[in-house]
Amino acid sequence: MGDISSGLSEVECDVLVIGGGTAGPMAAYKAKVKNPKARVILLEKANVKRSGAICMGMDGLNNAVIPGHSTPEQYTKEITIANDGICDQAPVYKYAERCFEIIQELDRFGIRFQKDQKGDFDVKKVHHIGTYVLPMPNGDTVKKALYRQLRRVQLLISNRFMATRLLNGRDGRIAGAIAVNTRTSEFLVVRAKAVILCLGAAGRLGLPHSGYLYGTYENAANAGDGYAMAYHAGAALANLECFQINPLIKDYNGPACAYVAGPFGGYTANNEGMRFIECDYWSGQMMLEFYRELQSGKGPVFLKLDHLANETIDEIEGILHRVERPTRGRFHTGRGTDYRHEMIEMHVSEIGFCSGHSASGVFVDEFARTTVPGLYAAGDMASVPHNYMLGAFTNGAVAGEHAIGFAAETDLAEYDPADVTAERERVLAPLKREDGVPPNQIEYKTRRLVNDYLQPPKITRKYEIAADRFAEVRDDLENAMMARDSHELMRAMEASSILDCAEMAVCASLFRTESRWGLYHHRVEFPERDNANWFCHTLLRKADDRMICEKRPVAPYIVPIADEERAAYDKQRLRRPA
Ligand SMILES: Cc1cc2nc3c(=O)[nH]c(=O)nc-3n(C[C@H](O)[C@H](O)[C@H](O)COP(=O)(O)OP(=O)(O)OC[C@H]3O[C@@H](n4cnc5c(N)ncnc54)[C@H](O)[C@@H]3O)c2cc1C
């Protein structure tokens, strides 16, 4: 960790996939299977064996479109409504059409899904309208099973390389990426005909209430590097004002998880033990009702299981404490809380960017193409809304298959070597300082400011103050941040991505002068939804070294939505008879 190398290597490939969590391995696998002779590299900041949001496993598929239970049309409609209509349906529909084939493939990999006594997939209802949740009793094996497939097709894997910037070609195509080794600081330039970004959510944007930098709901390695890299490469990013805010377990910051407990009879309740929302599926409107309950004096809000039979709770614990987050049982033991005897306190999480649960991401079409030729994105950092783990797998597959076809018809783009020199200087600058501000202080300050000023409800003046404070932090980051070893250098580069994301959050939020997506974009001065002016996406990108935002019309729907269906997700609060 302490050895610092001045090395610089260059390698070439057909397709470079960055991020080896969920979407990335599937993208690389599909590209390699489609063209076994092609050179496909999977580059990962950590180790592909255990990296990403699914590193410890997953409880289930949150959005499985399974014949007999739902159709691609129903799913596309549900996600469009859940996202307040701001949805390019083509990628959602494509996902819905293909995800069953991916489930079957994952099943063959050894990741088994819950079946009923007749041997059919045992799908549960959690969403407001349709039935899409498929439990994974051996979900703890997901990463291992995936990794076995990568070994089988002899994929080239580069672990411990953190990508810091994309390389733009002189002709406007993507030319590759620049990465730095997190153990040696050695530089790697990967030239590629196509690049697929799968770097996950921006999960370290706000600061958890615990104050602990890595105590995040998201995989803590996902610092928003993908969002920052796409931005600096000139790609458009969509709907960044539609934040991710989750209902989590207080002080644990893990999902409560009503998706698992809901089908067993658990639910979200107020301090009187009363249910106040109709549906526990995460949406902006649901989070707004959660927030309102807290403000109403009926908070805190809780996960309520204490009315269930012991055997049912045993079963819930068997999933929640074993598969996805094995630390959860230990958390409850340490705190002395037991689902059988009391409700479990929940809270409103800090903000992040993530399309997996919300809608903010690098803009992509139904082939996972971004606005930069040759550059693709999939998973939590691409703009396909509410796509979760199966969306990462499926859209990763779409990206891999398309990118390998694109690569077959093109050559490597030429890039300007001065870009590599400039990036090396930027990245290595903190190592050259003998004294200064450590990255964790830069990061802490940025994220505390995010909490102070950006956490919704959004107030214009607070956002303007935040912009000024972030400019001051940037000055420290660029002129005074120091790193003592390669590990700290990684943290320094993460701090830089986090600050980029914070600035993007300000810019996108101030641009949209209405409220939409419930709490995610609740602007106090513009409390109403304004379809006349804002029924559109917002696209943010870098132009002439500045951040700009523009409107982009929502593409005509493939699946029509009747007027009376559009408000289904607005009616989240339970109405009690007078
Ligand atoms: C706690 C939790 C519970 C969840 N539960 C469920 C569930 O039950 N069901 C469900 O369907 N979905 C669930 N999800 C959502 C699902 O896990 C994600 O949507 C999905 O895994 C995202 O995949 P991804 O490939 O985009 O990101 P990830 O799998 O997180 O992969 C991103 C990868 O990029 C790497 N990386 C980041 N920056 C760099 C860089 N600069 N250079 C190189 N590599 C980099 C990271 O190390 C990581 O390996 C859950 C998510 C979380 C966090």
Side-chain angles (χ1 to χ4, degrees):
M1 210 185 276
D3 292 343
I4 297 187
S5 150
S6 57
L8 168 68
S9 329
E10 184 176 293
V11 295
E12 292 178 3
C13 64
D14 295 292
V15 174
L16 167 66
V17 181
I18 308 177
T22 314
M26 187 57 99
Y29 171 80
K30 287 288 182 181
K32 187 73 182 165
V33 167
K34 194 162 176 195
N35 182 357
K37 293 203 179 111
R39 211 172 141 77
V40 179
I41 295 180
L42 179 58
L43 188 111
E44 165 60 46
K45 185 196 234 178
N47 187 320
V48 175
K49 265 190 191 171
R50 272 289 182 211
S51 65
I54 61 171
C55 57
M56 297 306 287
M58 221 40 16
D59 293 335
L61 299 176
N62 287 348
N63 51 346
V65 185
I66 297 190
H69 294 275
S70 59
T71 63
E73 284 74 16
Q74 284 168 338
Y75 178 79
T76 305
K77 191 183 272 192
E78 175 118 25
I79 296 306
T80 306
I81 297 170
N83 214 40
D84 288 1
I86 309 299
C87 177
D88 272 353
Q89 289 188 336
V92 177
Y93 190 82
K94 172 93 159 250
Y95 157 77
E97 271 189 319
R98 283 210 57 188
C99 71
F100 185 55
E101 163 206 328
I102 299 290
I103 295 173
Q104 290 170 310
E105 188 158 20
L106 294 171
D107 209 37
R108 285 196 294 277
F109 289 175
I111 307 160
R112 279 182 298 283
F113 300 96
Q114 191 159 302
K115 306 232 169 94
D116 61 21
Q117 284 169 342
K118 287 188 276 168
D120 296 331
F121 287 115
D122 188 10
V123 195
K124 311 282 186 194
K125 181 166 173 8
V126 174
H127 290 62
H128 206 65
I129 310 169
T131 307
Y132 307 105
V133 173
L134 179 59
M136 290 163 58
N138 71 341
D140 52 324
T141 61
V142 58
K143 197 76 210 220
K144 279 189 218 146
L146 199 58
Y147 191 69
R148 270 199 302 275
Q149 300 305 317
L150 304 184
R151 297 291 300 270
R152 192 174 61 77
V153 297
Q154 297 182 335
L155 204 74
L156 295 166
I157 296 177
S158 283
N159 287 320
R160 307 279 171 213
F161 272 101
M162 174 182 185
T164 61
R165 284 286 185 267
L166 290 162
L167 271 174
N168 290 92
R170 292 182 197 273
D171 59 1
R173 280 182 299 147
I174 206 69
I178 306 173
V180 61
N181 190 292
T182 60
R183 297 278 162 90
T184 64
S185 303
E186 188 186 352
F187 260 71
L188 179 66
V189 172
V190 187
R191 297 187 66 193
K193 296 172 185 169
V195 177
I196 308 176
L197 297 174
C198 302
L199 297 86
R204 274 169 40 210
L205 187 50
L207 193 65
H209 292 263
S210 65
Y212 180 51
L213 292 180
Y214 312 109
T216 50
Y217 165 80
E218 289 297 341
N219 165 42
N222 296 344
D225 302 338
Y227 286 78
M229 285 166 61
Y231 168 72
H232 288 291
L237 294 104
N239 308 324
L240 294 186
E241 67 280 17
C242 178
F243 294 166
Q244 164 173 259
I245 306 170
N246 296 330
L248 303 179
I249 292 194
K250 177 85 170 47
D251 300 332
Y252 179 64
N253 240 41
C257 170
Y259 292 11
V260 170
F264 288 99
Y267 55 87
T268 307
N270 61 23
N271 69 20
E272 295 166 354
M274 301 298 286
R275 197 193 268 269
F276 60 95
I277 38 178
E278 278 192 10
C279 160
D280 284 321
Y281 180 70
W282 293 2
S283 67
Q285 199 60 35
M286 182 270 201
M287 276 313 302
L288 186 58
E289 294 303 347
F290 193 118
Y291 174 80
R292 283 180 177 148
E293 199 69 3
L294 292 177
Q295 302 302 310
S296 77
K298 290 195 181 155
V301 166
F302 297 88
L303 172 68
K304 181 166 167 49
L305 302 178
D306 55 1
H307 57 292
L308 300 177
N310 272 348
E311 303 73 47
T312 310
I313 293 183
D314 289 346
E315 209 174 329
I316 293 173
E317 282 178 340
I319 304 168
L320 289 182
H321 295 185
R322 192 179 57 83
V323 180
E324 196 173 284
R325 291 236 162 153
T327 51
R328 178 155 168 183
R330 293 206 293 280
F331 169 78
H332 286 307
T333 307
R335 181 155 280 194
T337 42
D338 186 331
Y339 307 130
R340 290 163 193 80
H341 307 308
E342 67 225 289
M343 302 193 295
I344 305 299
E345 188 181 348
M346 293 167 66
H347 75 134
V348 176
S349 78
E350 71 282 4
I351 67 163
F353 292 150
C354 175
S355 66
H357 303 91
S358 159
S360 39
V362 176
F363 181 79
V364 290
D365 67 7
E366 67 271 36
F367 299 106
R369 291 180 293 201
T370 71
T371 53
V372 175
L375 182 64
Y376 297 74
D380 280 355
M381 63 161 293
S383 63
V384 187
H386 296 230
N387 71 164
Y388 292 96
M389 174 175 59
L390 189 55
F393 281 137
T394 308
N395 297 327
V398 169
E401 288 166 358
H402 200 280
I404 200 77
F406 175 88
E409 287 169 15
T410 189
D411 51 5
L412 290 165
E414 290 302 322
Y415 67 90
D416 184 349
D419 291 343
V420 175
T421 308
E423 179 59 0
R424 277 186 95 192
E425 274 171 24
R426 181 186 80 92
V427 171
L428 295 178
L431 282 177
K432 294 187 181 139
R433 294 190 187 105
E434 303 252 306
D435 195 11
V437 188
N440 61 356
Q441 289 185 18
I442 299 276
E443 177 174 341
Y444 180 84
K445 190 166 181 181
T446 309
R447 294 174 65 188
R448 187 184 58 74
L449 292 168
V450 166
N451 280 19
D452 287 351
Y453 295 111
L454 306 193
Q455 184 83 17
K458 302 181 182 180
I459 296 170
T460 306
R461 189 70 192 107
K462 282 175 120 183
Y463 270 65
E464 289 165 354
I465 295 172
D468 292 343
R469 294 287 95 82
F470 292 148
E472 292 157 12
V473 178
R474 181 165 293 286
D475 192 41
D476 283 344
L477 186 145
E478 289 176 357
N479 299 306
M481 182 165 63
M482 65 164 293
R484 289 165 300 184
D485 56 34
S486 302
H487 183 78
E488 266 193 6
L489 189 65
M490 173 182 74
R491 296 295 183 217
M493 290 307 104
E494 289 176 345
S496 166
S497 300
I498 292 166
L499 185 58
D500 283 345
C501 289
E503 289 178 338
M504 288 193 262
V506 171
C507 185
S509 296
L510 288 178
F511 183 61
R512 187 181 280 276
T513 50
E514 63 152 1
S515 286
R516 193 173 287 271
W517 304 297
L519 189 62
Y520 299 164
H521 183 65
H522 182 47
R523 283 198 71 172
V524 173
E525 293 95 337
F526 306 97
E528 303 301 328
R529 200 179 293 170
D530 174 6
N531 279 335
N533 293 301
W534 289 102
F535 192 82
C536 60
H537 300 277
T538 59
L539 293 188
L540 178 150
R541 62 194 170 80
K542 187 174 179 180
D544 299 328
D545 243 11
R546 286 188 50 237
M547 223 172 254
I548 58 156
C549 286
E550 58 203 5
K551 294 181 179 181
R552 180 181 186 277
V554 174
Y557 288 163
I558 303 168
V559 180
I561 315 258
D563 284 347
E564 63 275 16
E565 292 174 314
R566 288 177 192 240
Y569 269 74
D570 296 349
K571 298 171 191 151
Q572 295 284 326
R573 181 159 283 271
L574 272 179
R575 313 257 165 234
R576 294 191 201 294

